[in-house]
Amino acid sequence: MAELTPKEKRKIRKKIFQLSAEIERHDRLYYKDSQPEISDFEYDCLKNELFHLKSLLSENPLALGIGDDRHENLLTRVHDTPMLSLDNTYSFLEILNFDARIRRLLQIDRPLSYIVEPKIDGVAVNLVYDQGRLSYALTRGNGNEGDDVTDNIKTIASLPLTIDNALERMEIRGEVYIESATFQRINRERLDRGEVLFANARNLASGTLKLMDGEEVRSRQLKFIAYGMGLGNHFNYQKEIYPFLGRLGFQSQKFFPLIDNIEDAEEVIRWLGNERRQLPYETDGVVFKVNECLLQKKLGSTAKAPRWAFAYKFEPERAETVLRDITFQIGRTGVVTPIALLEPVHLSGSCVSRATLHNSDDIAKKDIRIGDTIIVEKSGEIIPAIVGIKSENRSNQVLEKFTFPEKCPCCGTQLLRLYGVAWRCPNPDCREQVLQKIVYFSSKTAMNIDGFGETVVRKLVENKKLKTIGDLYNLSREDLYVLDNFGEKSMNRLLSNIERSKKTELWRFINALGIPLVGEKTAKDLAAHFASLDKLANASLEALTTVRGIGIKAAQSIVDFFEKAENRALLRQFLESGLEFQ
Ligand code: IVH
């Protein structure tokens, strides 16, 4: 390569300086605040660019650090063996380079065998067992020293606190994560409460690990998968480690195919790329590990990562399309969520025409305007998200700045922003709110009334056959005449489904009431504890806070709910219509 001129070097240095500062800012947002502004893919691109610029100046590009997740308010401890990161790539070709480098370092000519396993998108944790007892648990921190998260780790129900192993000290390494279904539930509940949503399950898991509120941590249902060992690793082959960890009582990797030659990498990536959709957690790639532990030891590590492992990361699927309009969804608690209506586009095997815009702050920050060409991304989440706009496409048209409505798009009531970033309609009689309450009331995890979904409810509400959830059990056959394409048979089926739902479990009804901060899990805890609606409705704040899993905020919300005269009247109405608990 031609020698760089001093001017070019200065320019590169300046760029390195700016990029490092930017990466540092994103590290802070990711590791400390658990609220990243950019996707992992964008972050990796920045890091790769820095790597490239540093190599142009022949500076050690590996001295890029591995981030630092330590918090000011947690105790730290030093790791017995450092916790490192993984080198990663988004390209198949690079995988061949990784393999070639490893064989060159080992001076081996033969093909190497690798274990290939899912890369779990969570938070790395090191569990230290002394004489078979869990002593403490640390996050990766800066690699040498991590935060002590023992108390929160102990909320993981399936984690063995003692293991059948006589070794003096043993380090078990793995990933703490939150299942995709739990992540979606938590975000739904946060949306209802007008709180900031977590961008993905990883951020939720890392935020949760650092919380001080044990009850809250428990309710978020952290999980742990073990994929390696520090001290105490006496194995000859990586593939023996997972069954061993399983025997000790850990949840461990289930898919870990062995390839005898790196040439098979592409096929196994494709296979795991499909299998990962069956997994209950998010994966952001696959990890290749040299199977022979003796070779792992010979290879050792750089300051940042082991030389015997590397990750291939899946690129999130993205597409460009036009933002046609922005509409609003009003939730059962009145939260107004903006929804992007898109020119339909193919993405991750489906046709996408709607995407979430999160909240008004997010729209303003990204300066999204109707008519813009935007980029949609679909990763693990079900709802696609808008990651940004293509501002260069704006030059040939004048687009109006988007302003969030001040009044409820349904009932015209002035919107309020009481707490959090969400705007809310404060009118409890707002038609859309009532409609969503009824839809929730009859949904699967509530009263489970089959055939009583949003389309049917909307028609009945629009025709004033339903005004509150209390009217549901008074619906007559004549009321159903307004439903399109509903013959005699469909009407009979729906009426009998409604009738059948009156005999139900108590937790279903508690959940169906839509008490703020009371979701399915809390409803189950309450039902198990009180076993009677009457007892629950008359429980004091003190009594409620003694229930396992109920925090002070939820307890207050329950008291407030049952104190309201209109809610008492609603309960009476339900009981009079023949509601019975099994
Ligand atoms: S092995 C010395 N295996 O990915 C590092 N890591 O981006 C060896 N990760 O810090 C790690 N799934 O937190 C390994 N199956 C897996 C993994 C995995 C996720 C995480 C780990 C690491 C990060 C690097």
Side-chain angles (χ1 to χ4, degrees):
M1 205 196 297
E3 189 64 28
L4 293 169
T5 64
K7 195 172 163 203
E8 281 169 331
K9 279 191 181 164
R10 263 202 310 279
K11 242 172 128 177
I12 293 176
R13 253 189 219 111
K14 189 168 165 208
K15 187 80 194 146
I16 288 180
F17 180 76
Q18 288 167 337
L19 253 176
S20 306
E22 199 180 341
I23 289 174
E24 228 170 76
R25 190 172 79 83
H26 289 301
D27 275 342
R28 227 177 13 254
L29 288 165
Y30 187 89
Y31 290 112
K32 303 250 195 262
D33 306 340
S34 298
Q35 291 289 358
E37 280 176 7
I38 56 175
S39 70
D40 287 2
F41 181 60
E42 286 164 304
Y43 176 83
D44 288 337
C45 289
L46 292 180
K47 277 233 158 172
N48 284 343
E49 196 184 339
L50 183 58
F51 186 92
H52 172 69
L53 292 174
K54 284 196 169 187
S55 58
L56 285 180
L57 292 184
S58 338
E59 283 182 9
N60 177 10
L62 286 176
L64 286 178
I66 58 166
D68 186 354
D69 68 23
R70 288 172 304 165
H71 274 223
E72 301 79 47
N73 48 1
L74 289 175
L75 285 178
T76 55
R77 273 177 195 264
V78 175
H79 295 294
D80 284 332
T81 32
M83 282 185 85
L84 302 176
S85 177
L86 278 175
D87 285 328
N88 67 61
T89 176
Y90 287 90
S91 106
F92 277 131
L93 196 65
E94 265 290 287
I95 292 176
L96 300 180
N97 291 340
F98 274 119
D99 172 72
R101 190 169 67 225
I102 290 174
R103 284 187 299 122
R104 199 174 55 242
L105 286 168
L106 291 169
Q107 298 180 318
I108 283 183
D109 241 357
R110 63 175 166 93
L112 283 177
S113 49
Y114 292 92
I115 286 289
V116 191
E117 60 187 66
K119 183 172 184 311
I120 306 140
D121 202 7
V123 186
V125 167
N126 187 27
L127 307 176
V128 177
Y129 288 83
D130 289 313
Q131 270 104 25
R133 271 184 180 280
L134 176 65
S135 279
Y136 55 87
L138 304 180
T139 64
R140 190 172 70 186
N142 65 357
N144 290 319
E145 187 181 89
D147 277 338
D148 188 323
V149 288
T150 316
D151 288 343
N152 288 347
I153 285 292
K154 285 185 176 167
T155 65
I156 303 175
S158 62
L159 193 94
L161 298 179
T162 54
I163 53 176
D164 194 9
N165 200 288
L167 285 183
E168 195 121 311
R169 177 161 278 205
M170 198 155 148
E171 288 179 302
I172 307 287
R173 294 190 166 173
E175 205 81 354
V176 166
Y177 67 94
I178 285 181
E179 288 191 352
S180 319
T182 312
F183 162 69
Q184 271 154 22
R185 168 183 63 83
I186 290 171
N187 253 0
R188 250 193 333 263
E189 288 169 3
R190 290 179 76 87
L191 188 69
D192 275 354
R193 298 198 294 263
E195 294 170 1
V196 184
L197 299 187
F198 284 99
N200 52 47
R202 198 214 80 89
N203 297 122
L204 175 56
S206 77
T208 304
L209 259 187
K210 310 278 165 128
L211 284 180
M212 298 291 188
D213 175 349
E215 281 305 332
E216 181 63 23
V217 175
R218 196 174 293 279
S219 78
R220 296 202 189 163
Q221 297 173 307
L222 292 169
K223 299 260 158 93
F224 178 80
I225 285 194
Y227 52 61
M229 294 169 71
L231 284 180
N233 183 355
H234 56 281
F235 290 96
N236 294 324
Y237 296 99
Q238 182 73 25
K239 73 168 182 196
E240 297 169 344
I241 296 180
Y242 307 119
F244 170 74
L245 292 171
R247 283 195 298 278
L248 288 185
F250 293 96
Q251 185 188 342
S252 186
Q253 292 285 23
K254 286 201 178 65
F255 294 103
F256 51 95
L258 179 78
I259 55 170
D260 293 325
N261 193 324
I262 200 67
E263 313 252 286
D264 296 333
E266 198 166 338
E267 197 186 330
V268 81
I269 286 176
R270 208 165 295 126
W271 180 74
L272 273 171
N274 279 330
E275 288 303 317
R276 76 182 177 127
R277 295 181 208 285
Q278 319 292 330
L279 297 171
Y281 49 80
E282 300 284 323
T283 52
D284 56 343
V286 294
V287 184
F288 287 76
K289 296 178 181 170
V290 170
N291 188 34
E292 290 170 60
C293 297
L294 188 68
L295 299 184
Q296 292 185 0
K297 279 195 199 95
K298 273 194 187 164
L299 285 161
S301 343
T302 66
K304 180 192 165 219
R307 292 195 188 88
W308 48 268
F310 53 88
Y312 170 86
K313 291 181 77 172
F314 300 121
E315 230 176 88
E317 285 186 65
R318 285 182 173 186
E320 245 179 69
T321 188
V322 174
L323 175 64
R324 276 216 207 127
D325 201 358
I326 295 178
T327 175
F328 301 92
Q329 197 172 296
I330 300 158
R332 65 190 164 94
T333 56
V335 171
V336 180
T337 310
I339 307 284
L341 300 182
L342 310 172
E343 195 66 53
V345 61
H346 269 282
L347 190 60
S348 294
S350 62
C351 182
V352 171
S353 57
R354 290 161 80 90
T356 171
L357 281 164
H358 300 303
N359 53 61
S360 59
D361 285 4
D362 201 40
I363 302 178
K365 201 164 73 198
K366 292 180 181 148
D367 189 21
I368 295 169
R369 304 180 187 195
I370 294 168
D372 265 330
T373 300
I374 51 97
I375 300 155
V376 261
E377 180 177 293
K378 199 172 169 192
S379 45
E381 283 175 70
I382 290 167
I383 316 163
I386 291 184
V387 280
I389 57 165
K390 300 220 37 163
S391 41
E392 64 270 26
N393 289 34
R394 243 190 219 165
S395 50
N396 50 3
Q397 50 186 339
V398 184
L399 299 178
E400 218 174 294
K401 207 169 173 67
F402 179 75
T403 45
F404 204 83
E406 288 176 8
K407 300 211 159 118
C408 172
C410 174
C411 68
T413 308
Q414 182 76 34
L415 297 179
L416 297 179
R417 203 178 210 186
L418 297 176
Y419 51 91
V421 290
W423 289 97
R424 270 167 203 272
C425 167
N427 171 16
D429 299 322
C430 170
R431 200 180 71 191
E432 202 57 34
Q433 250 183 82
V434 170
L435 188 151
Q436 294 301 340
K437 275 198 184 103
I438 302 172
V439 171
Y440 184 78
F441 185 86
S442 55
S443 65
K444 270 215 152 39
T445 58
M447 301 302 273
N448 195 17
I449 309 177
D450 211 21
F452 211 68
E454 182 162 339
T455 320
V456 166
V457 175
R458 190 170 290 280
K459 204 80 201 176
L460 292 170
V461 170
E462 274 169 8
N463 286 281
K464 306 204 167 53
K465 305 295 177 198
L466 275 178
K467 291 197 198 72
T468 71
I469 47 175
D471 297 337
L472 199 145
Y473 290 117
N474 298 328
L475 278 177
S476 67
R477 174 175 295 269
E478 289 72 49
D479 290 333
L480 303 188
Y481 289 163
V482 296
L483 299 176
D484 302 320
N485 305 322
F486 250 63
E488 211 45 37
K489 240 170 139 179
S490 319
M491 281 197 255
N492 287 344
R493 199 175 321 121
L494 186 53
L495 286 170
S496 92
N497 287 349
I498 294 176
E499 192 57 30
R500 193 150 10 103
S501 76
K502 286 186 190 168
K503 286 197 181 32
T504 189
E505 295 135 296
L506 178 59
W507 72 265
R508 288 189 171 277
F509 182 67
I510 299 173
N511 187 26
L513 286 172
I515 306 169
L517 304 187
V518 176
E520 181 185 338
K521 196 184 155 289
T522 313
K524 283 181 178 164
D525 291 341
L526 290 169
H529 185 92
F530 292 101
S532 119
L533 184 62
D534 202 42
K535 283 200 184 118
L536 170 66
N538 294 306
S540 66
L541 189 66
E542 294 72 44
L544 282 161
T545 45
T546 63
V547 183
R548 205 190 132 104
I550 314 280
I552 181 76
K553 285 190 210 147
Q556 187 62 57
S557 168
I558 296 163
V559 169
D560 292 347
F561 181 88
F562 288 111
E563 261 176 10
K564 287 202 180 110
E566 66 264 33
N567 291 334
R568 292 251 167 202
L570 190 67
L571 294 189
R572 260 197 312 279
Q573 196 179 351
F574 277 123
L575 295 173
E576 277 162 14
S577 58
L579 197 69
E580 253 179 63
F581 304 114
Q582 290 159 345

